[in-house]
Amino acid sequence: MTENTQQQTTATTELPTAYAPAEVEGKLYERWVERGYFEADEKSDKPPYTIVIPPPNVTGSLHLGHAFEHTLIDALTRRKRMQGYETLWQPGMDHAGIATQNVVERELAKEGKSRHDLGREAFVERVWQWKAESGGQISGQMKRLGDGVAWSRERFTMDEGLSQAVQTIFKKLYDDELIYRAERIINWCPRCLTAISDIEVEYQDDDGELVSIRYGEGDASIVVATTRAETMLGDTAVAVHPDDERYKHMVGTEIELPLTGRRIPVVADEHVDPEFGTGAVKVTPAHDPNDFEIGQRHNLPNLAVMDERAVITAHGPFQGLDRLEARSAIVAALRAEGRIVAEKRPYVHSVGHCSRCKTTIEPRLSMQWWVKVGPLAKAAGDAVRDGKVKIHPQEMEKRYFDWVDNLHDWCISRQLWWGHRIPVWYGPAGEVVCVGPDEQPPSGEGWHQDTDVLDTWFSSGLWPFSTLGWPEQTESLKKFYPNSVLVTGYDILFFWVARMMMFGLYAMDGTPPFHTIALHGMVRDQNGKKMSKSFGNVVNPLDWMDAYGSDAVRFTLARGANPGVDVPIGEDWVQASSKFANKIWNATRFALMNGATIEGELPAPDQMSATDRWILSRLNKTVAEVDAFYDDYQFSKLSEALYHFAWDEVFDWYVELSKTTFFAGGEGARVSGRVLGEVLDVMLRLLHPVVPFVTETLWTTLTGGESVVIADWPKDSGFRDEAAEREIALVQRVITEVRRFRKEQGLQDAQKVPARLTLDGTSLAAHEAAIRQILRLQPEAEGFAATATLPVAGAEVALDLSGTIDIAAERKRLAKDLAAAEKEKAQANGKLGNEAFLAKAPDNVVEKIRGRLAKADEDIARIQAQLERLPQA
């Protein structure tokens, strides 16, 4: 036994015979963190590469969407680290105002208390206590997935430093008159008792009712339709289009509002669509955003008829009723007066719901704080138009521009206790003072701070620079801002991404927060259906990790990730990825046992076989291909390229073709062993960013290196050998054709068959031993009789099947199959030749018959070829 063989045998004894992810992953991750591989040094002279984690909610746990996004980010950062960049993947969590407050309030409810029983200060302390004890479980789950984040830099949006950043930018925006307070229509949740942002509203089709109501009498009457009859109590006008001849005589007059005793004007406004319904709409400025705009244009009063819990406050018989109770009561009262012209039930229409508690949202007129987004949004749009920031895929740019070019002012105040409190104080004489982080708030009798907190998106919009120490000009900020790329879902392009763009450009002197925005789609089930608890198709990725390992989950997600496109995923796909991880393990272990090594220089090409040169040529092409796909964020394509190179070319072809060389020993085995070691080394490094755990174990065993995490990323050496690639393609063609023939004859893979190979004059001659071994072809012996001859690739393979199959029975079986195929062809031709049939049959039926004809032709050609190859019985 040679020294090299001894080393390889020792290496493989370190590898269990089967890969057990659960026994490997946790220990490896702990080692990576302990050794500081994921940390980032702002004093390094390496070029920076920065990505922030889209901060998950402190209340959250790892779901498939997180696992998907984190896999992509981790793959990018691991590769860049290996390429020699000072890589920072910035971790952290969002305080998630509404979600967290709801969690703690539910806990208090179990104790028979509300937040008001505790008071604001004690309640906030209770939330911090909850965070310390129960919040952030997602951090541990991220470690399970293998997230290579800089844990020492973990941030929380309510940290002291980030809170200082929030107060700083609020003060700056306020002083620049880009933050103001005004009464506007907002999304209001009657359950959470707060304004909520657009992204916190989920729209769904609800069964409602559409009621047509007659306002006024006789010729001075107008019919309006509504799905929210209860809001009519707050109507202050009826609007029609200025050019609508039906109502021109009524514009400027007043009309009676049923049930109220009030009279309201008829106004002309171009917002009204004269083609929709009756061409007239009721105007309720205090309870509808479009109506509010009409009201502003026509100086209409804003009459609020519901309180913060959506209970009717208007005087009369409906006062004190919940909005839904009032809806039924008002319709009944209108019906009794004969004012209901039409009723449609059910009327399916889109209704907004609070994403946290699922309560129906109520548009409500409210005094709130707002960001004047006009100049900020223009800068965010220009940064993409000018090429400072690239959106990938590029076709998503239109959606981005549609959003930022039409942004309305942003409501940033929330009626909560958990969050960044608005740094504004009010004085006894109506004074309003905005206080910066280094300023003392006013004190004295009558002074009080605004009770609202800021929208969670306000603080997360600062994430790319607040996490690096801004407003202080830290070394980290200088090194790692702007971020290299933002990887996030297209669903928050309009919310988080736009806010980061606006704030980054504003706070950082026109420098955008990132160079590239790489957008991915949503994870869906294997049928392409949205994952939802109501559909019963939600998957906990931790369950799949337990069953198949984190690498399998990661590889499945990456393999489905096409830019900007939704990703279907099913358990059977994760099982397939698990088999791939096991294949890598088993094949590498086999290779190590049979001479694969990285010891010594790579032999010169003239010392290598064509098989060796072929795999090295394919290896370098794969390196170049994978690099190009990474740079274009084509995770699916790079995963496919790695899968097929590893499984098909390395394991199924190179290893199999080289077995005869390894078994023969000598110089050829030494050369191929070194080539195989080189291929495994590079292949494992290429695979590492996507499947980090199995590759770490195998690479360190193969090379003796410290960790593949800090290994060099492979480079394309430029080696190409097109002649060797053509030669091996011929070998593959011969093997594939003979395998197909064996399968057609019903031969088992392991069944040996006597054969004569006529390879003289072709490049196949050097591969005869490998071809015979792979195909289980025995040398011809005395009494050999060629019962089937296969001409392929300029060579000839003659097989003696006399001792392996019943030729007469096989001919009989094939003749029967041929007759069936010819009958199918005749039937299809008969229908396609029938003009009457073609005139009546739907196009899809005709196409199906044409497909049957094509299939029959293929079957006939195949069966006839099989019969020709069989000897006479």
Side-chain angles (χ1 to χ4, degrees):
M1 181 180 288
T2 66
E3 181 181 350
N4 183 59
T5 305
Q6 288 176 330
Q7 289 175 345
Q8 298 305 323
T9 303
T10 301
T12 52
T13 57
E14 298 173 10
L15 292 175
T17 54
Y19 179 49
E23 297 176 11
V24 171
E25 295 176 348
K27 295 175 184 177
L28 285 182
Y29 192 86
E30 287 178 10
R31 186 190 307 160
W32 293 335
V33 172
E34 287 170 3
R35 293 181 178 178
Y37 293 154
F38 305 140
E39 296 302 326
D41 181 5
E42 58 268 19
K43 297 178 181 178
S44 166
D45 58 2
K46 296 178 182 178
Y49 186 81
T50 316
I51 296 182
V52 294
I53 189 174
N57 288 352
V58 67
T59 58
S61 60
L62 191 74
H63 57 64
L64 267 179
H66 289 131
F68 173 55
E69 187 167 81
H70 290 199
T71 294
L72 306 187
I73 298 174
D74 196 39
L76 290 173
T77 53
R78 283 178 183 269
R79 172 177 176 254
K80 285 295 182 180
R81 188 178 294 112
M82 295 171 75
Q83 286 183 315
Y85 286 78
E86 193 61 37
T87 303
L88 169 60
W89 183 9
Q90 173 67 55
M93 285 182 291
D94 192 285
H95 65 279
I98 295 177
T100 306
Q101 180 157 320
N102 280 349
V103 168
V104 178
E105 285 195 87
R106 283 196 295 269
E107 285 194 352
L108 287 174
K110 294 175 185 176
E111 303 169 12
K113 299 178 182 177
S114 74
R115 60 180 162 126
H116 301 286
D117 294 324
L118 272 67
R120 184 169 193 143
E121 185 175 340
F123 176 77
V124 171
E125 287 181 7
R126 179 70 177 261
V127 179
W128 278 108
Q129 179 185 343
W130 174 87
K131 178 191 179 286
E133 295 173 357
S134 307
Q137 63 172 316
I138 196 171
S139 296
Q141 295 165 347
M142 287 165 58
K143 295 174 182 178
R144 283 283 312 277
L145 187 65
D147 285 4
V149 299
W151 287 111
S152 69
R153 294 173 175 264
E154 187 175 13
R155 297 292 181 266
F156 180 55
T157 48
M158 289 285 286
D159 284 349
E160 182 178 348
L162 272 66
S163 296
Q164 183 183 19
V166 168
Q167 193 171 353
T168 299
I169 202 163
F170 187 100
K171 169 71 171 173
K172 180 174 171 60
L173 288 163
Y174 182 87
D175 290 346
D176 288 345
E177 298 184 349
L178 292 173
I179 282 184
Y180 63 94
R181 193 168 183 242
E183 192 175 45
R184 299 271 183 85
I185 292 284
I186 45 88
N187 299 311
W188 180 265
C189 177
R191 156 62 183 79
C192 298
L193 300 180
T194 181
I196 65 175
S197 67
D198 292 337
I199 197 170
E200 292 162 327
V201 179
E202 292 180 349
Y203 287 91
Q204 66 183 49
D205 288 341
D206 285 359
D207 286 344
E209 60 180 357
L210 182 66
V211 182
S212 297
I213 309 168
R214 178 171 51 82
Y215 287 14
E217 302 292 344
D219 292 337
S221 67
I222 294 179
V223 174
V224 298
T226 181
T227 58
R228 300 168 57 210
E230 69 278 9
T231 62
M232 68 161 291
L233 301 176
D235 286 358
T236 55
V238 171
V240 298
H241 193 275
D243 299 331
D244 195 330
E245 295 294 335
R246 293 171 295 177
Y247 303 115
K248 274 194 171 182
H249 67 287
M250 297 188 67
V251 174
T253 67
E254 290 189 339
I255 194 170
E256 183 183 347
L257 178 66
L259 306 181
T260 66
R262 290 191 292 115
R263 296 185 66 80
I264 57 177
V266 178
V267 299
D269 195 281
E270 292 189 351
H271 169 76
V272 180
D273 180 2
E275 304 297 325
F276 183 77
T278 63
V281 297
K282 58 191 286 301
V283 182
T284 320
H287 293 280
D288 183 274
N290 293 320
D291 292 4
F292 178 79
E293 297 296 332
I294 294 175
Q296 292 291 295
R297 288 192 288 271
H298 297 278
N299 297 315
L300 301 175
N302 300 316
L303 181 60
V305 295
M306 276 181 258
D307 66 12
E308 61 183 7
R309 297 184 184 276
V311 172
I312 300 298
T313 57
H315 294 296
F318 312 108
Q319 186 174 9
L321 295 179
D322 172 81
R323 56 183 166 170
L324 298 182
E325 297 172 332
R327 182 176 302 171
S328 299
I330 287 170
V331 170
L334 290 168
R335 191 182 298 113
E337 289 190 4
R339 292 193 172 274
I340 299 297
V341 175
E343 296 180 71
K344 185 176 182 180
R345 293 189 188 89
Y347 179 72
V348 179
H349 61 132
S350 182
V351 178
H353 296 259
C354 174
S355 64
R356 303 300 176 191
C357 68
K358 311 308 177 186
T359 301
T360 300
I361 292 302
E362 189 63 45
R364 185 169 188 254
L365 187 63
S366 179
M367 183 67 76
Q368 303 285 345
W369 285 94
W370 303 80
V371 172
K372 186 184 295 182
V373 299
L376 302 175
K378 182 181 184 303
D382 289 345
V384 175
R385 287 189 175 94
D386 297 344
K388 289 182 181 178
V389 178
K390 297 186 184 302
I391 294 180
H392 185 86
Q394 191 174 0
E395 53 265 28
M396 287 286 182
E397 282 186 2
K398 183 180 184 302
R399 297 179 67 176
Y400 176 79
F401 292 136
D402 286 346
W403 178 257
V404 298
D405 293 347
N406 297 284
L407 268 179
H408 298 293
D409 285 359
W410 171 21
C411 177
I412 56 171
S413 46
R414 299 290 180 266
Q415 290 64 56
L416 303 170
W417 287 357
W418 172 245
H420 297 100
R421 196 163 173 182
I422 288 177
V424 171
W425 272 256
Y426 305 105
E431 302 95 330
V432 179
V433 177
C434 180
V435 178
D438 300 322
E439 300 171 350
Q440 286 294 321
S443 58
E445 186 176 351
W447 282 93
H448 64 281
Q449 186 177 0
D450 196 299
T451 57
D452 288 352
V453 300
L454 287 163
D455 177 13
T456 296
W457 295 100
F458 190 94
S459 52
S460 61
L462 314 181
W463 193 248
F465 51 93
S466 65
T467 52
L468 297 172
W470 188 90
E472 300 299 323
Q473 296 303 306
T474 64
E475 292 300 315
S476 289
L477 190 64
K478 294 175 185 176
K479 178 74 174 181
F480 296 113
Y481 188 91
N483 287 193
S484 306
V485 61
L486 174 74
V487 179
T488 191
Y490 64 68
D491 59 324
I492 56 173
L493 173 64
F494 314 133
F495 306 105
W496 185 48
V497 179
R499 282 150 174 70
M500 286 190 290
M501 286 286 284
M502 290 191 295
F503 282 166
L505 289 159
Y506 174 75
M508 301 301 291
D509 299 321
T511 302
F514 19 74
H515 297 301
T516 301
I517 302 169
L519 298 171
H520 59 72
M522 305 295 102
V523 178
R524 297 182 177 271
D525 71 13
Q526 60 190 19
N527 299 312
K529 192 174 183 179
K530 179 182 177 181
M531 287 192 174
S532 166
K533 290 181 181 178
S534 60
F535 295 153
N537 61 352
V538 173
V539 173
N540 182 348
L542 296 172
D543 293 340
W544 281 352
M545 288 184 210
D546 289 340
Y548 307 109
S550 297
D551 282 337
V553 174
R554 289 171 62 112
F555 191 74
T556 305
L557 291 165
R559 201 174 178 186
N562 289 298
V565 178
D566 288 346
V567 183
I569 185 172
E571 186 169 4
D572 52 343
W573 302 343
V574 183
Q575 288 176 332
S577 295
S578 176
K579 290 178 182 176
F580 179 51
N582 288 325
K583 181 73 171 181
I584 298 170
W585 181 275
N586 294 331
T588 302
R589 190 174 185 278
F590 173 85
L592 287 170
M593 292 175 65
N594 287 276
T597 179
I598 64 162
E599 296 296 324
E601 294 294 324
L602 194 65
D606 60 6
Q607 295 178 277
M608 299 178 192
S609 67
T611 309
D612 295 332
R613 296 194 305 277
W614 163 73
I615 197 61
L616 288 175
S617 183
R618 289 297 308 129
L619 175 69
N620 281 285
K621 285 184 178 180
T622 301
V623 171
E625 193 175 27
V626 168
D627 273 332
F629 287 144
Y630 261 117
D631 291 342
D632 199 35
Y633 305 101
Q634 298 280 358
F635 296 97
S636 177
K637 290 182 179 178
L638 72 89
S639 299
E640 284 293 315
L642 288 169
Y643 176 88
H644 290 294
F645 176 73
W647 194 308
D648 300 346
E649 297 185 300
V650 178
F651 301 142
D652 279 1
W653 283 112
Y654 181 74
V655 171
E656 291 301 316
L657 288 170
S658 301
K659 279 182 178 178
T660 53
T661 303
F662 288 131
F663 295 162
E667 182 62 13
R670 186 195 70 78
V671 170
S672 291
R674 181 62 186 88
V675 169
L676 181 53
E678 182 78 9
V679 171
L680 291 176
D681 172 22
V682 173
M683 184 194 76
L684 291 170
R685 283 185 281 147
L686 287 174
L687 281 164
H688 173 73
V690 181
V691 285
F693 294 107
V694 66
T695 52
E696 170 79 340
T697 305
L698 295 174
W699 186 87
T700 53
T701 302
L702 169 70
T703 67
E706 180 183 339
S707 172
V708 71
V709 176
I710 55 172
D712 291 337
W713 180 253
K715 294 180 179 178
D716 175 8
S717 71
F719 178 80
R720 301 287 189 277
D721 194 325
E722 301 299 338
E725 291 198 39
R726 288 193 297 271
E727 183 172 327
I728 299 306
L730 290 178
V731 175
Q732 292 172 326
R733 185 176 160 194
V734 170
I735 292 172
T736 301
E737 287 294 323
V738 177
R739 274 178 172 163
R740 182 181 296 118
F741 178 74
R742 288 178 59 110
K743 185 176 182 180
E744 289 171 353
Q745 307 311 314
L747 297 177
Q748 298 298 316
D749 290 342
Q751 194 168 354
K752 295 180 179 180
V753 179
R756 179 175 63 242
L757 274 60
T758 306
L759 308 175
D760 296 341
T762 72
S763 57
L764 296 167
H767 304 279
E768 179 170 353
I771 292 171
R772 284 188 177 276
Q773 179 171 313
I774 292 171
L775 293 172
R776 305 292 192 271
L777 301 180
Q778 292 179 314
E780 55 183 304
E782 187 176 350
F784 177 85
T787 57
T789 303
L790 303 175
V792 57
E796 186 176 271
V797 179
L799 304 172
D800 182 355
L801 304 178
S802 57
T804 56
I805 63 172
D806 184 335
I807 295 174
E810 184 64 13
R811 277 192 169 278
K812 186 176 180 181
R813 182 185 70 80
L814 290 173
K816 182 178 178 182
D817 291 346
L818 180 61
E822 288 174 338
K823 181 180 179 182
E824 175 74 3
K825 178 178 180 178
Q827 289 176 341
N829 273 328
K831 289 185 177 180
L832 294 173
N834 186 333
E835 294 296 335
F837 170 78
L838 292 176
K840 295 179 181 178
D843 290 345
N844 64 319
V845 173
V846 174
E847 282 304 310
K848 187 175 181 181
I849 294 171
R850 286 185 178 136
R852 285 168 49 190
L853 177 60
K855 176 67 166 54
D857 282 334
E858 289 176 8
D859 289 344
I860 290 168
R862 174 179 55 79
I863 297 167
Q864 286 176 338
Q866 289 177 248
L867 283 167
E868 288 172 7
R869 288 196 290 259
L870 277 178
Q872 296 299 318

